Every structure is written in structure tokens, then in C-alpha cells.
Amino acid sequence: MENTEELKKQLEYIDKLTDVVTGLKDRLGRTPKCAVVTFGCQMNARDSEKLCGILIKTGFDTDADETDADLVIYNTCTVRDNANQKVYGHLGTLKARKKRQPGLKIALCGCMMQEHSVIDNISKNYRFVDLVFGTHNIFRFAELLYNMYTSEDQIIDIWDSTDDYVEDLPVKRKYSYKSGVNIMYGCNNYCTYCIVPYVRGRERSRDAKDIIREVEKLADDGVIEVMLLGQNVNSYGNGLTDGISFPALLLEVEKVEGIRRIRFMTSHPKDLSDELIDVMAASKKICRHIHLPLQSGSDRILKAMNRCYTKESYLALCDRIRNAIPDVAITTDIIVGFPGETAQDVDDTIDVIKQVQYDNAFTFIYSKRTGTPAADRVDQVSEEFAKEQFNRVLDAVRISAGTRNGILTGKVVEALVEDISDNDPSMVSGRLDNNSMVHFTGGSDLIGKIVPVKLINAKGFYYIGEMTDSI
Ligand code: 5AD
Ligand code: SF4
């Protein structure tokens, strides 16, 4: 539920924090600098935009580099252990800097902070960290930061769950023309390898009218592309009294004037309905891209993962999608090295890759997450075996993506210009409807515009193109 009382309270804390930051500015003789470092997924990226909104509103410069900021905030991820290790690595470096610069403040938030073992470790071994909060109380950021600046002690505030949302606080979008929109929080699927349901809580859908109001506001503010975000968008609406489904929500978002592109992330194959495929096929605004995590192609492993679909039903779903939307790009996530996985299981995964012909796939080596059912299994596979199998999968992904990349060569398509190209300042980078990138000659005046581009040739995952007058 949206909590208006809490909103009022947090707006008061924004005022109080502004006074603190003004005092800090007087002492430093310059604007205090903050770096928000984001790990992990789109949800975290969106959360960081919320943190930056409050930081800017209260007087911080949020463009600072981590190495010279007065306040460093790590918005952490814990899906795989290497994400946790990265944070500890960064903290080691900051500890040395804090000795030289005692005024430096350090805050930690995000999924990793929802793990009890992490909090134990930080409260015992990382006393130099000033503030720790979690995913459920991020809307209290202004209050927490105010408390941090007015106290000498380490502040740790972690909630196990919440039913409240406070959505109308300031947000600083990274891009002026596109934005993520949370449509739901948490996850109920309990895939046996995954820590997300434990750190993000049970699934809660936002009311459709609140979502539409947010999209309308974004459109008024110049946003032309929205990405609807949830761990499993296809189960949107479960538990809501008005019972609206995800396809019905998409139709409502589509009506918002000014919004020209709609994306969504992530789809669970077990919940992707034919209704959704029909809505996508008929839509002029919903982008031709579905991210459809496979995880494994082996029925045995899928069952052990609690994914609730089979190789056959997954392939049939992809067929239905491709038949209804021929130009759709399908991408996926794959885990290699799940406990008990054999080379034959991986053969099945490779078979699916060959049959579906993914446009791209993110492949991960299984990471044991304490507290998940898979972590207790005695048949964990060796690192060496997992790496070998991982390389086999990677080769298959490269071949499949290789045949898909370039299929649009010669066509004129619309691209939303996102940025100046990283490699060549005389070029810009644009995103196609199917999520591929194209680089072409152009200037910063094009950023945020949708323009027609002729795709001249394909280079790996991207195209080189040329702007034209019309489609
Ligand atoms: N080990 C490896 N990969 C994982 N993912 C989730 N949990 C784990 C884990 N324990 C991957 C899944 C998911 C993506 C976001 O992260 O492929 O789709
Ligand atoms: Fe994790 Fe499965 Fe939920 Fe995705 S659907 S967040 S993999 S539990």
C-alpha cells in the first residue's frame, strides 16, 4: 500500500537533511560529493535513482567518482557470491582511505544487506561503515542519512519485510528519455538456487492506477520509453483485489500518450500467457524483445531447480512466440554447474540453445547461496567441471547469437539514440526495438530521439548504420 503518512514524514526529513548538508557545505567550502555505486540488476539501478533523487534534493553533487567522494554508497547485489566479494574488496580500499580522510562517510544498502551473515560480519569486522540499510526500508533513506550525519555510531537498520511503498519521493533518472517503473516487488517462486525471495521478500504487485499515474508523470517529463520491472512480471496482479493481469496492464500503459516504447523484465516461462503474446503481436509500442530465462534445458535439473516447466514446454512456448511475432528477439539466462548436473544435462541445455537461436544469453556458473535448498545438496559439482561445461555452453551461445546478429542488415529501422558512442565521439549509439544496438554518425542533439537508421553491416552484437530521412 502507498503510505501517505510516511511520505509526509520523509519529506520533513528531506528538509532536515538539507540543513545538515548546507552545514557540511559551509565546513568544506564546496558542494559535498557523493558516489552511488550500483551492483546487480535493473531493480537496483532504479533504487539508485531514488537514492540520487534525495541526495540531489538535499544538496549533494552525485556525479562524484568513488575515489574522491565525501559519501560513498554501495547499492549491493547478492545473487551470486562474486557480487558479495566485490563489495568486500571495495570496502578494503575504503578502510585505508577513511584513515586518511576521517570525514568520509560510507553507507551500504541493497540485497546483500538482507543476509544475516553479512550484517554479523559488518557489525563485527567493518566498524568503519557508517550506515547499513536494506531493500524494504529504502524509502526511509532521508531519515537514515539524517540519523547518520547526526550520530557517531554505526547505524544498522534492516527490515525483514514491508507492505508499504512510498513512491512520490524525488528520483534522479540516469536518462532523461527512458525510465524503469517497478510494477511489483519480491518473488514467490523459490527456485532452489536463488536467494532473491529471501532478500526481496514475497511478491507484491503495485496497484495498476499507481503505476499508470507514474507512467503518465514520466511521459509529461519527456520520457518516451518505459521498462516495467519485476522479478516475474507475468504473475503481475496476483493478490490484487481488482485482479488485473500483466497483458491488461500493458494495454493500459500503451494508452499513455507520449510513451512510444514499452519494455518489460523479467518473464518466467511458466507464467507467460498466450494473451501476452497476442497483446505483444498486436502492439505498436511493446518492443520486440522477450527475456525468457531458461536456466537449464534438462528436465531433471529443471525439476530440481523448481522451475515448473520442461524442455518441451519451453521450446513450444518459444515456437508460439516466434510464430506470432516473427521479428522478436529472445534472450535468456543460463546456469551451469547446478548440483548433480552432468554433461548429458548440459547437452540438453545446448540443444535448447541451438533450437531457440537466442539473440543473446547471459551464462552463469552456479553459485552456492547459503539458505537456499540447493546449497544443502551433497552433490555439488567441482569448479573444474563447471568451468568446462560453462565453456561448452558459451560456445553454443556464440554460434546461436552469431546466426541471429545481422539478420536486419540492409533494413531501415527506428533507433532510440541513447548516448555518444564510447569508441568514437563523432558517432551516437541507438537501441533498436529488438534491443540490439546500432552506432552511426551523429551528435548529442539526437540523444533521446527516435530516428530512422539504415543498418549497413553487423559487427558481433551491434550494427553500424547510417541515419536516413524516413522508414
Ligand atoms: N548462481 C548462479 N546464477 C544465479 N542466478 C540466480 N541465482 C543464481 C545462483 N545461485 C541467475 C539466474 C537468474 C539471473 C538473474 O541470475 O540465471 O535468471
Ligand atoms: Fe530467483 Fe526464480 Fe524468483 Fe527469478 S523467479 S528471482 S530466479 S526465485
Side-chain angles (χ1 to χ4, degrees):
M1 259 188 348
E2 296 237 25
N3 185 331
T4 43
E5 274 303 299
E6 184 68 35
L7 174 64
K8 221 174 103 202
K9 186 172 132 203
Q10 291 310 314
L11 292 174
E12 282 163 19
Y13 269 107
I14 286 178
D15 288 343
K16 284 162 98 172
L17 182 61
T18 305
D19 292 341
V20 172
V21 179
T22 307
L24 193 60
K25 186 175 177 182
D26 291 345
R27 276 204 303 287
L28 291 169
R30 58 169 170 78
T31 302
K33 293 184 275 191
C34 175
V36 178
V37 183
T38 312
F39 297 86
C41 66
Q42 308 264 4
M43 295 273 204
N44 264 18
R46 182 68 182 151
D47 281 349
S48 288
E49 291 186 347
K50 294 177 183 173
L51 300 179
C52 285
I54 288 173
L55 289 161
I56 290 170
K57 181 91 187 162
T58 53
F60 278 95
D61 163 9
T62 56
D63 287 331
D65 193 79
E66 193 183 339
T67 51
D68 76 340
D70 306 293
L71 167 63
V72 177
I73 303 176
Y74 293 132
N75 187 4
T76 63
C77 168
T78 188
V79 165
R80 286 169 291 277
D81 187 53
N82 54 4
N84 292 38
Q85 294 317 318
K86 261 191 219 156
V87 172
Y88 286 127
H90 280 254
L91 283 178
T93 313
L94 279 189
K95 183 178 183 181
R97 184 146 83 84
K98 194 155 178 171
K99 281 213 177 98
R100 299 192 304 272
Q101 185 193 340
L104 171 67
K105 295 282 180 191
I106 302 166
L108 301 175
C109 64
C111 293
M112 186 178 154
M113 301 306 127
Q114 295 292 143
E115 283 187 88
H116 298 302
S117 58
V118 168
I119 296 302
D120 277 354
N121 191 10
I122 287 168
S123 61
K124 286 195 193 104
N125 304 318
Y126 293 83
R127 297 294 313 164
F128 59 94
V129 171
D130 301 283
L131 170 64
V132 182
F133 57 101
T135 54
H136 299 296
N137 57 344
I138 186 167
F139 59 79
R140 289 225 169 141
F141 177 56
E143 178 179 350
L144 290 161
L145 205 59
Y146 173 81
N147 292 343
M148 181 194 85
Y149 273 112
T150 51
S151 146
E152 291 294 309
D153 299 329
Q154 182 178 58
I155 297 177
I156 297 186
D157 190 3
I158 306 292
W159 300 2
D160 281 339
S161 65
T162 182
D163 281 327
D164 285 338
Y165 324 120
V166 182
E167 299 282 1
D168 283 331
L169 290 165
V171 177
K172 171 69 177 86
R173 289 195 313 278
K174 190 166 171 207
Y175 303 96
S176 59
Y177 52 88
K178 68 171 182 177
S179 178
V181 175
N182 295 110
I183 62 165
M184 59 210 293
Y185 299 97
C187 181
N188 278 357
N189 290 306
Y190 292 96
C191 301
T192 57
Y193 51 81
C194 186
I195 202 165
V196 168
Y198 306 93
V199 296
R200 285 266 172 186
R202 67 189 160 72
E203 185 183 287
R204 286 104 56 210
S205 293
R206 285 178 69 198
D207 274 338
K209 64 171 178 4
D210 295 333
I211 296 170
I212 299 301
R213 198 165 51 97
E214 182 173 339
V215 175
E216 283 169 350
K217 270 215 290 215
L218 288 168
D220 283 347
D221 207 22
V223 166
I224 57 173
E225 178 179 300
V226 286
M227 163 88 87
L228 307 182
L229 296 172
Q231 300 295 349
N232 177 11
V233 289
N234 299 297
S235 69
Y236 171 79
N238 289 352
L240 287 180
T241 41
D242 62 3
I244 177 170
S245 67
F246 182 56
L249 177 73
L250 279 172
L251 289 173
E252 290 303 309
V253 175
E254 207 173 38
K255 285 184 202 151
V256 177
E257 228 171 285
I259 297 298
R260 295 186 52 196
R261 281 183 168 185
I262 304 167
R263 298 182 184 277
F264 53 85
M265 181 92 93
T266 291
S267 290
H268 194 307
K270 79 177 166 64
D271 295 314
L272 199 151
S273 64
D274 287 346
E275 193 192 349
L276 173 67
I277 300 174
D278 292 345
V279 166
M280 265 185 101
S283 172
K284 290 232 167 3
K285 291 188 179 180
I286 303 172
C287 290
R288 271 41 190 153
H289 173 217
I290 296 189
H291 185 65
L292 197 62
L294 167 68
Q295 313 302 3
S296 167
S298 152
D299 286 346
R300 207 172 65 83
I301 297 296
L302 285 170
K303 191 156 195 285
M305 287 176 162
N306 189 32
R307 290 292 289 175
C308 306
Y309 54 85
T310 61
K311 176 183 177 187
E312 195 190 331
S313 67
Y314 183 94
L315 286 171
L317 175 61
C318 290
D319 272 350
R320 288 203 300 282
I321 295 171
R322 284 220 195 277
N323 285 337
I325 317 164
D327 50 349
V328 74
I330 303 181
T331 57
T332 201
D333 293 340
I334 293 168
I335 298 177
V336 181
F338 185 83
E341 190 170 55
T342 64
Q344 287 73 41
D345 294 315
V346 177
D347 286 345
D348 275 327
T349 302
I350 291 173
D351 189 39
V352 176
I353 296 169
K354 284 184 180 157
Q355 292 201 48
V356 175
Q357 297 273 296
Y358 292 110
D359 290 75
N360 199 1
F362 300 95
T363 309
F364 308 107
I365 290 189
Y366 167 75
S367 170
K368 188 172 161 180
R369 311 309 292 125
T370 308
T372 61
D376 293 335
R377 287 182 54 149
V378 291
D379 51 354
Q380 305 287 325
V381 306
S382 74
E383 213 178 294
E384 194 192 348
F385 176 79
K387 275 200 183 130
E388 250 172 50
Q389 301 305 315
F390 177 80
N391 287 334
R392 287 177 62 212
V393 170
L394 221 54
D395 285 344
V397 168
R398 269 196 213 111
I399 293 169
S400 134
T403 50
R404 293 283 303 170
N405 298 148
I407 54 166
L408 297 176
T409 304
K411 292 204 166 142
V412 178
V413 294
E414 288 190 329
L416 169 53
V417 181
E418 298 204 329
D419 241 320
I420 296 290
S421 162
D422 284 341
N423 297 326
D424 183 345
S426 69
M427 294 181 96
V428 290
S429 306
R431 193 175 295 272
L432 310 186
D433 185 307
N434 73 357
N435 216 33
S436 294
M437 297 301 291
V438 57
H439 305 286
F440 57 97
T441 302
S444 57
D445 54 313
L446 294 176
I447 293 175
K449 297 205 171 91
I450 293 179
V451 294
V453 179
K454 176 158 189 189
L455 305 176
I456 308 289
N457 57 35
K459 302 217 167 174
F461 288 116
Y462 62 88
Y463 290 92
I464 296 294
E466 199 174 83
M467 203 167 124
T468 61
D469 292 337
S470 63
I471 291 278

